[in-house]
Amino acid sequence: MSTTLRLAGALLLTSALTAPGLAHAQTAPEQTDPSASQPGDTTASDTPADPGATSANSAPPQDDLEVSIPGGSEIVVTGRRFQNIERSSNQVVSVLSSAEIARTGEGNIAGALAHVPGLSLVGSGFVYVRGLGDRYSLALLNGLPLPSPEPLKRVVPLDLFPTGVIASSLVQKSYSVNYPGEFGGGVINLTTKATPNQPFLKISAGISGDTFTTGNLGYTYYGSKSDWLGYDDGSRNPPPALQDYFDKGLLIGTDNVNSTAIARELVGWRNAVIQQYDHTPVNVSASISAGKTFPLGDLDFGVIAAAGYSNKYLTREIRQQLSQSADLSSLEKDFRQVSTDQRTTVNGLLGFGLEGNGNKLRWTTLYIHDTLKKASLAFGQRPAQNGDTDFIDQRTAFYERQLFDTQAVAELELTPALHLDARMSYANSKRKAPGELTFEYVRTNSDADPFGQYFVNRLNNGNGGDGGITFSDLNEDLYAAGLDLSYRATPSLSLTGGLAYSDTRRTSSRRDFLFLAPNQWLGSPYTVTAIGMLRPDLLLSPNVVDALGITMIETDPGTPKFGAGLTTKAGYLKGNWQVTDSIAIDAGVRYEDGSQFTKPIPVFVSVPPSVPEATLQRSYWLPAATLTFDLQNSMQIRLNASKTIARPQFRELIAQPYYDPESNRPYRGNPLLVDSELFNAEARFEWYFAPEQRVSLAGFYKHIDKPIEAFVSGVDLLTSYANAPKADLYGGELEVAKYWPLQNMGGDFFDGRRVVTILNYTYTKSKLKVGADDTVAVYGAASTIATDYFRDGAPLTGQSDHIVNLQLGLEDTDRLSQQTFLLSYASDRVVSRGLNGSPPQPDVIERPGVKLDFVWREGFTLFGAGMEAKFEARNIFGQGHQEFQQAGDNRIDINTYDVGTTLAFTLGIDL
């Protein structure tokens, strides 16, 4: 490469604001003073490879570590492995290189991050940092913000990102002012693969299955002919009559609408007939990536492209119970649901780079399309209301999530001491759930009922059964730009200033309808009941709909559609000063102005929106400082203090009912929410006692003013949100990485091999602080007394007291050969609050338990080509999923199911 590589050193992670380049990293000799090297100081040279980073039998140079973070300078790793980033950084960071990601064997980046100290995975790809929920975690792609496709979230679920398109993942747990102010638990920065130093072409394919799903009973439905690709072919789009209803802004029941004409077009065999898999298929995946750099005079032009496809099945038999009593002695719901999810992911990445004469231009585009096709049947009772009556619930759905992100970055060296970086990005996320169908059939088991021994659906929106259809659509656009200027004032002092702008706009709609049959037909109610024995596609066939005069009602005539936005404007100034050979300080302040709103969008011509607009306009000065003491002998101490904020999620601000099919719970926002403010402090000791090996011990503390917490109320167990008065979180982390060479044991097998041991443990404790005189603001509520909503001393949701991760493996340092056990444990954590009352219900607890995985990666040569084989065994102990409430001896299972052991095999070729 013609570009002179520069050492980043002490300014590695804090030199500028959100100006990522798709950086290359080259290795350089170990430096005695980890904070001494700065951009423009020296060049870098290659050193021995990371074992397992290639698939050849020889030991080629280590793959470049690509880290693209807020800031404009190229990042260069000092030493053999990425741990030196953790050492030379002025902040508390953990980094997963592509080699470390590969060692975990995980298919998406959320799973790989679960092995980082202090991180835990909750729900569908949401990462919690040190027990703080996803609202307190900031996710960036190449240092730039990301939109979310989730209706209840403003953060992106990280299970969207396949590991094949990610070069590295950096987790920073101490705040520095070059990052956005929404930094509670930490920032997770994903770096996509950049233009290559060497040409390559890699192809891989794999199959997998789990003992509970694969080859066993499951459910599906036809949907459309292109479902296997993860795309609907238009079969689920609103039919003509419904689309005309949408376009005219009419409201059923208020305007002159022929809802029977709409109902007759909505349900058929394609979307309403659940079919049984006697033997659920195996999972399949494939990927391809290629790249090359071309010389153009004094410049280098690089291209990289990647694409991937996966199709996976997951069947769960879920126990779902609900109770409204404080001691859980009575049950409102007791169901067992069998659900099969077919998840299909398509992804692609295309990157271009032009480098030369100390300057760099980069353009990167990422596309991810992730679809969940769901078919479920549930059987159960509602003992408290309906005695011995049996119910069967059916659901068919198709959830499409999509992320498109394109970024352009210019990194310019104006003088050897002055660097200017400019960047911009556009990102779009979508979530579509067209034609989600639900039906409930009822068997009364009553001798007085002529149909008491049969399941019937009278479509009366009551105890006689019901049916509904929902069309959901979410679109979010995010524009971001930034400018950064770094100046080396003296060899020991650098100054950096930056400006950043981001604008997020979201529109979300959910049109929910119920079918309604008449009480009688042909002069008798029993004729309607008899017709109700038909399966859904026949029950709502055009002939039956027309004959009975089946109509529809829209369940949310108030606010089925809303808009939301967040605009931030920020500037910062920071300095990095090497005070003495053993003391360095990195300090600065950020000014950030944020304007956030949610507002109903008028849908109906005759009915105005029924919920208020919410607006938050706040500006903050956010200081941060890190003091590093070099104790010599490869030991150092870091002290960090900072102030940060957390803003409400969009959906939390709008007082609109919303039903989440994943948690099976209704939600409603609170337009009176305000921002949370956090004070953060940390002290950390690090000892890098040998190359690639370390011990670190840290203690941390966070005080949160007005944390946003959920509470549950009402007979329908509605979840809403309010600002609790205060909360404290504190804890400690221990991490040990040690390698044990085996060459002295004798024999060819042990030559070049070593034992890998990586252990981390995190202890976290959190408490809500609620006093008798504290108040809260809840929209439409009669009470403002904080103790009516929150319990003093209760832990924050999502926080586990204990998190343990252990990697124990054997690897060859001369070629790719790795055998790794990965053990993880997380103690019980609160995932939702219990029903408020006097006394209140206990909280809903999740028990993650112990999970053991095994990953075997082996490189070999076949017909002159480098090959890689990978075998995975996941959840070897068969740890199930448990969400429950317990009061004394009474326990109810909210969302509990068995999870099988997954076996996978992947074969790749490097051409």
Side-chain angles (χ1 to χ4, degrees), residues 211-226:
T211 56
F212 193 86
T213 301
T214 311
N216 296 320
L217 180 143
Y219 294 127
T220 188
Y221 67 101
Y222 180 80
S224 76
K225 62 184 179 182
S226 59

mmCIF file with all atom_site columns, all heavy atoms in Angstrom, residues 211-226:
data_model
loop_
_atom_site.group_PDB
_atom_site.id
_atom_site.type_symbol
_atom_site.label_atom_id
_atom_site.label_alt_id
_atom_site.label_comp_id
_atom_site.label_asym_id
_atom_site.label_entity_id
_atom_site.label_seq_id
_atom_site.pdbx_PDB_ins_code
_atom_site.Cartn_x
_atom_site.Cartn_y
_atom_site.Cartn_z
_atom_site.occupancy
_atom_site.B_iso_or_equiv
_atom_site.pdbx_formal_charge
_atom_site.auth_seq_id
_atom_site.auth_comp_id
_atom_site.auth_asym_id
_atom_site.auth_atom_id
_atom_site.pdbx_PDB_model_num
ATOM 1   N N   . THR A 1 211 ? -31.876 -30.241 18.512 1.00 0.00 ? 211 THR A N   1
ATOM 2   C CA  . THR A 1 211 ? -32.529 -31.483 18.918 1.00 0.00 ? 211 THR A CA  1
ATOM 3   C C   . THR A 1 211 ? -34.009 -31.312 19.215 1.00 0.00 ? 211 THR A C   1
ATOM 4   O O   . THR A 1 211 ? -34.746 -32.294 19.232 1.00 0.00 ? 211 THR A O   1
ATOM 5   C CB  . THR A 1 211 ? -31.826 -32.070 20.143 1.00 0.00 ? 211 THR A CB  1
ATOM 6   O OG1 . THR A 1 211 ? -31.802 -31.070 21.193 1.00 0.00 ? 211 THR A OG1 1
ATOM 7   C CG2 . THR A 1 211 ? -30.393 -32.460 19.814 1.00 0.00 ? 211 THR A CG2 1
ATOM 8   N N   . PHE A 1 212 ? -34.462 -30.085 19.433 1.00 0.00 ? 212 PHE A N   1
ATOM 9   C CA  . PHE A 1 212 ? -35.872 -29.869 19.717 1.00 0.00 ? 212 PHE A CA  1
ATOM 10  C C   . PHE A 1 212 ? -36.661 -29.573 18.443 1.00 0.00 ? 212 PHE A C   1
ATOM 11  O O   . PHE A 1 212 ? -37.848 -29.887 18.355 1.00 0.00 ? 212 PHE A O   1
ATOM 12  C CB  . PHE A 1 212 ? -36.043 -28.707 20.707 1.00 0.00 ? 212 PHE A CB  1
ATOM 13  C CG  . PHE A 1 212 ? -37.423 -28.607 21.288 1.00 0.00 ? 212 PHE A CG  1
ATOM 14  C CD1 . PHE A 1 212 ? -37.774 -29.346 22.406 1.00 0.00 ? 212 PHE A CD1 1
ATOM 15  C CD2 . PHE A 1 212 ? -38.382 -27.784 20.723 1.00 0.00 ? 212 PHE A CD2 1
ATOM 16  C CE1 . PHE A 1 212 ? -39.052 -29.268 22.948 1.00 0.00 ? 212 PHE A CE1 1
ATOM 17  C CE2 . PHE A 1 212 ? -39.657 -27.695 21.252 1.00 0.00 ? 212 PHE A CE2 1
ATOM 18  C CZ  . PHE A 1 212 ? -39.996 -28.449 22.368 1.00 0.00 ? 212 PHE A CZ  1
ATOM 19  N N   . THR A 1 213 ? -35.998 -28.968 17.446 1.00 0.00 ? 213 THR A N   1
ATOM 20  C CA  . THR A 1 213 ? -36.692 -28.518 16.244 1.00 0.00 ? 213 THR A CA  1
ATOM 21  C C   . THR A 1 213 ? -36.489 -29.450 15.059 1.00 0.00 ? 213 THR A C   1
ATOM 22  O O   . THR A 1 213 ? -37.448 -29.935 14.457 1.00 0.00 ? 213 THR A O   1
ATOM 23  C CB  . THR A 1 213 ? -36.226 -27.095 15.868 1.00 0.00 ? 213 THR A CB  1
ATOM 24  O OG1 . THR A 1 213 ? -36.490 -26.200 16.946 1.00 0.00 ? 213 THR A OG1 1
ATOM 25  C CG2 . THR A 1 213 ? -36.932 -26.602 14.616 1.00 0.00 ? 213 THR A CG2 1
ATOM 26  N N   . THR A 1 214 ? -35.244 -29.677 14.682 1.00 0.00 ? 214 THR A N   1
ATOM 27  C CA  . THR A 1 214 ? -34.925 -30.342 13.425 1.00 0.00 ? 214 THR A CA  1
ATOM 28  C C   . THR A 1 214 ? -35.414 -31.785 13.417 1.00 0.00 ? 214 THR A C   1
ATOM 29  O O   . THR A 1 214 ? -35.138 -32.559 14.336 1.00 0.00 ? 214 THR A O   1
ATOM 30  C CB  . THR A 1 214 ? -33.420 -30.292 13.173 1.00 0.00 ? 214 THR A CB  1
ATOM 31  O OG1 . THR A 1 214 ? -32.956 -28.945 13.351 1.00 0.00 ? 214 THR A OG1 1
ATOM 32  C CG2 . THR A 1 214 ? -33.086 -30.768 11.771 1.00 0.00 ? 214 THR A CG2 1
ATOM 33  N N   . GLY A 1 215 ? -36.138 -32.132 12.371 1.00 0.00 ? 215 GLY A N   1
ATOM 34  C CA  . GLY A 1 215 ? -36.647 -33.484 12.229 1.00 0.00 ? 215 GLY A CA  1
ATOM 35  C C   . GLY A 1 215 ? -37.859 -33.788 13.079 1.00 0.00 ? 215 GLY A C   1
ATOM 36  O O   . GLY A 1 215 ? -38.387 -34.906 13.026 1.00 0.00 ? 215 GLY A O   1
ATOM 37  N N   . ASN A 1 216 ? -38.322 -32.801 13.848 1.00 0.00 ? 216 ASN A N   1
ATOM 38  C CA  . ASN A 1 216 ? -39.470 -33.004 14.723 1.00 0.00 ? 216 ASN A CA  1
ATOM 39  C C   . ASN A 1 216 ? -40.673 -32.211 14.223 1.00 0.00 ? 216 ASN A C   1
ATOM 40  O O   . ASN A 1 216 ? -40.591 -31.466 13.253 1.00 0.00 ? 216 ASN A O   1
ATOM 41  C CB  . ASN A 1 216 ? -39.116 -32.595 16.159 1.00 0.00 ? 216 ASN A CB  1
ATOM 42  C CG  . ASN A 1 216 ? -38.026 -33.458 16.739 1.00 0.00 ? 216 ASN A CG  1
ATOM 43  O OD1 . ASN A 1 216 ? -37.998 -34.666 16.527 1.00 0.00 ? 216 ASN A OD1 1
ATOM 44  N ND2 . ASN A 1 216 ? -37.106 -32.842 17.483 1.00 0.00 ? 216 ASN A ND2 1
ATOM 45  N N   . LEU A 1 217 ? -41.776 -32.339 14.945 1.00 0.00 ? 217 LEU A N   1
ATOM 46  C CA  . LEU A 1 217 ? -42.998 -31.647 14.557 1.00 0.00 ? 217 LEU A CA  1
ATOM 47  C C   . LEU A 1 217 ? -42.819 -30.138 14.616 1.00 0.00 ? 217 LEU A C   1
ATOM 48  O O   . LEU A 1 217 ? -42.218 -29.606 15.545 1.00 0.00 ? 217 LEU A O   1
ATOM 49  C CB  . LEU A 1 217 ? -44.154 -32.071 15.465 1.00 0.00 ? 217 LEU A CB  1
ATOM 50  C CG  . LEU A 1 217 ? -45.520 -31.442 15.192 1.00 0.00 ? 217 LEU A CG  1
ATOM 51  C CD1 . LEU A 1 217 ? -46.623 -32.466 15.419 1.00 0.00 ? 217 LEU A CD1 1
ATOM 52  C CD2 . LEU A 1 217 ? -45.753 -30.219 16.095 1.00 0.00 ? 217 LEU A CD2 1
ATOM 53  N N   . GLY A 1 218 ? -43.370 -29.468 13.625 1.00 0.00 ? 218 GLY A N   1
ATOM 54  C CA  . GLY A 1 218 ? -43.374 -28.017 13.599 1.00 0.00 ? 218 GLY A CA  1
ATOM 55  C C   . GLY A 1 218 ? -44.540 -27.531 12.773 1.00 0.00 ? 218 GLY A C   1
ATOM 56  O O   . GLY A 1 218 ? -45.298 -28.323 12.197 1.00 0.00 ? 218 GLY A O   1
ATOM 57  N N   . TYR A 1 219 ? -44.702 -26.211 12.688 1.00 0.00 ? 219 TYR A N   1
ATOM 58  C CA  . TYR A 1 219 ? -45.822 -25.629 11.959 1.00 0.00 ? 219 TYR A CA  1
ATOM 59  C C   . TYR A 1 219 ? -45.318 -24.624 10.930 1.00 0.00 ? 219 TYR A C   1
ATOM 60  O O   . TYR A 1 219 ? -44.268 -23.990 11.094 1.00 0.00 ? 219 TYR A O   1
ATOM 61  C CB  . TYR A 1 219 ? -46.792 -24.933 12.907 1.00 0.00 ? 219 TYR A CB  1
ATOM 62  C CG  . TYR A 1 219 ? -47.508 -25.860 13.852 1.00 0.00 ? 219 TYR A CG  1
ATOM 63  C CD1 . TYR A 1 219 ? -47.485 -25.634 15.233 1.00 0.00 ? 219 TYR A CD1 1
ATOM 64  C CD2 . TYR A 1 219 ? -48.201 -26.965 13.378 1.00 0.00 ? 219 TYR A CD2 1
ATOM 65  C CE1 . TYR A 1 219 ? -48.151 -26.488 16.104 1.00 0.00 ? 219 TYR A CE1 1
ATOM 66  C CE2 . TYR A 1 219 ? -48.861 -27.824 14.242 1.00 0.00 ? 219 TYR A CE2 1
ATOM 67  C CZ  . TYR A 1 219 ? -48.834 -27.575 15.600 1.00 0.00 ? 219 TYR A CZ  1
ATOM 68  O OH  . TYR A 1 219 ? -49.485 -28.423 16.444 1.00 0.00 ? 219 TYR A OH  1
ATOM 69  N N   . THR A 1 220 ? -46.080 -24.462 9.879  1.00 0.00 ? 220 THR A N   1
ATOM 70  C CA  . THR A 1 220 ? -45.804 -23.440 8.875  1.00 0.00 ? 220 THR A CA  1
ATOM 71  C C   . THR A 1 220 ? -47.115 -23.117 8.157  1.00 0.00 ? 220 THR A C   1
ATOM 72  O O   . THR A 1 220 ? -48.163 -23.683 8.480  1.00 0.00 ? 220 THR A O   1
ATOM 73  C CB  . THR A 1 220 ? -44.737 -23.912 7.865  1.00 0.00 ? 220 THR A CB  1
ATOM 74  O OG1 . THR A 1 220 ? -44.369 -22.815 7.012  1.00 0.00 ? 220 THR A OG1 1
ATOM 75  C CG2 . THR A 1 220 ? -45.247 -25.070 7.022  1.00 0.00 ? 220 THR A CG2 1
ATOM 76  N N   . TYR A 1 221 ? -47.057 -22.211 7.225  1.00 0.00 ? 221 TYR A N   1
ATOM 77  C CA  . TYR A 1 221 ? -48.175 -21.937 6.327  1.00 0.00 ? 221 TYR A CA  1
ATOM 78  C C   . TYR A 1 221 ? -47.593 -21.483 5.006  1.00 0.00 ? 221 TYR A C   1
ATOM 79  O O   . TYR A 1 221 ? -46.402 -21.141 4.922  1.00 0.00 ? 221 TYR A O   1
ATOM 80  C CB  . TYR A 1 221 ? -49.126 -20.884 6.920  1.00 0.00 ? 221 TYR A CB  1
ATOM 81  C CG  . TYR A 1 221 ? -48.539 -19.501 7.043  1.00 0.00 ? 221 TYR A CG  1
ATOM 82  C CD1 . TYR A 1 221 ? -48.834 -18.514 6.109  1.00 0.00 ? 221 TYR A CD1 1
ATOM 83  C CD2 . TYR A 1 221 ? -47.680 -19.169 8.089  1.00 0.00 ? 221 TYR A CD2 1
ATOM 84  C CE1 . TYR A 1 221 ? -48.300 -17.249 6.198  1.00 0.00 ? 221 TYR A CE1 1
ATOM 85  C CE2 . TYR A 1 221 ? -47.139 -17.906 8.193  1.00 0.00 ? 221 TYR A CE2 1
ATOM 86  C CZ  . TYR A 1 221 ? -47.444 -16.946 7.247  1.00 0.00 ? 221 TYR A CZ  1
ATOM 87  O OH  . TYR A 1 221 ? -46.900 -15.699 7.340  1.00 0.00 ? 221 TYR A OH  1
ATOM 88  N N   . TYR A 1 222 ? -48.397 -21.466 3.959  1.00 0.00 ? 222 TYR A N   1
ATOM 89  C CA  . TYR A 1 222 ? -47.845 -21.238 2.621  1.00 0.00 ? 222 TYR A CA  1
ATOM 90  C C   . TYR A 1 222 ? -47.309 -19.817 2.472  1.00 0.00 ? 222 TYR A C   1
ATOM 91  O O   . TYR A 1 222 ? -46.163 -19.610 2.087  1.00 0.00 ? 222 TYR A O   1
ATOM 92  C CB  . TYR A 1 222 ? -48.902 -21.517 1.551  1.00 0.00 ? 222 TYR A CB  1
ATOM 93  C CG  . TYR A 1 222 ? -48.374 -21.287 0.152  1.00 0.00 ? 222 TYR A CG  1
ATOM 94  C CD1 . TYR A 1 222 ? -47.600 -22.261 -0.469 1.00 0.00 ? 222 TYR A CD1 1
ATOM 95  C CD2 . TYR A 1 222 ? -48.625 -20.101 -0.539 1.00 0.00 ? 222 TYR A CD2 1
ATOM 96  C CE1 . TYR A 1 222 ? -47.101 -22.059 -1.743 1.00 0.00 ? 222 TYR A CE1 1
ATOM 97  C CE2 . TYR A 1 222 ? -48.136 -19.887 -1.807 1.00 0.00 ? 222 TYR A CE2 1
ATOM 98  C CZ  . TYR A 1 222 ? -47.371 -20.866 -2.410 1.00 0.00 ? 222 TYR A CZ  1
ATOM 99  O OH  . TYR A 1 222 ? -46.861 -20.659 -3.672 1.00 0.00 ? 222 TYR A OH  1
ATOM 100 N N   . GLY A 1 223 ? -48.114 -18.828 2.735  1.00 0.00 ? 223 GLY A N   1
ATOM 101 C CA  . GLY A 1 223 ? -47.674 -17.448 2.589  1.00 0.00 ? 223 GLY A CA  1
ATOM 102 C C   . GLY A 1 223 ? -47.563 -17.033 1.145  1.00 0.00 ? 223 GLY A C   1
ATOM 103 O O   . GLY A 1 223 ? -48.547 -16.749 0.475  1.00 0.00 ? 223 GLY A O   1
ATOM 104 N N   . SER A 1 224 ? -46.328 -17.019 0.626  1.00 0.00 ? 224 SER A N   1
ATOM 105 C CA  . SER A 1 224 ? -46.099 -16.695 -0.777 1.00 0.00 ? 224 SER A CA  1
ATOM 106 C C   . SER A 1 224 ? -44.960 -17.562 -1.303 1.00 0.00 ? 224 SER A C   1
ATOM 107 O O   . SER A 1 224 ? -44.209 -18.158 -0.542 1.00 0.00 ? 224 SER A O   1
ATOM 108 C CB  . SER A 1 224 ? -45.763 -15.202 -0.949 1.00 0.00 ? 224 SER A CB  1
ATOM 109 O OG  . SER A 1 224 ? -44.433 -14.924 -0.549 1.00 0.00 ? 224 SER A OG  1
ATOM 110 N N   . LYS A 1 225 ? -44.830 -17.580 -2.613 1.00 0.00 ? 225 LYS A N   1
ATOM 111 C CA  . LYS A 1 225 ? -43.840 -18.469 -3.231 1.00 0.00 ? 225 LYS A CA  1
ATOM 112 C C   . LYS A 1 225 ? -42.402 -18.006 -3.003 1.00 0.00 ? 225 LYS A C   1
ATOM 113 O O   . LYS A 1 225 ? -41.465 -18.776 -3.223 1.00 0.00 ? 225 LYS A O   1
ATOM 114 C CB  . LYS A 1 225 ? -44.126 -18.588 -4.728 1.00 0.00 ? 225 LYS A CB  1
ATOM 115 C CG  . LYS A 1 225 ? -44.036 -17.270 -5.499 1.00 0.00 ? 225 LYS A CG  1
ATOM 116 C CD  . LYS A 1 225 ? -44.433 -17.459 -6.953 1.00 0.00 ? 225 LYS A CD  1
ATOM 117 C CE  . LYS A 1 225 ? -44.374 -16.138 -7.722 1.00 0.00 ? 225 LYS A CE  1
ATOM 118 N NZ  . LYS A 1 225 ? -44.807 -16.304 -9.132 1.00 0.00 ? 225 LYS A NZ  1
ATOM 119 N N   . SER A 1 226 ? -42.220 -16.770 -2.582 1.00 0.00 ? 226 SER A N   1
ATOM 120 C CA  . SER A 1 226 ? -40.855 -16.257 -2.370 1.00 0.00 ? 226 SER A CA  1
ATOM 121 C C   . SER A 1 226 ? -40.476 -16.192 -0.895 1.00 0.00 ? 226 SER A C   1
ATOM 122 O O   . SER A 1 226 ? -39.459 -15.583 -0.554 1.00 0.00 ? 226 SER A O   1
ATOM 123 C CB  . SER A 1 226 ? -40.719 -14.865 -2.999 1.00 0.00 ? 226 SER A CB  1
ATOM 124 O OG  . SER A 1 226 ? -41.651 -13.957 -2.439 1.00 0.00 ? 226 SER A OG  1
#
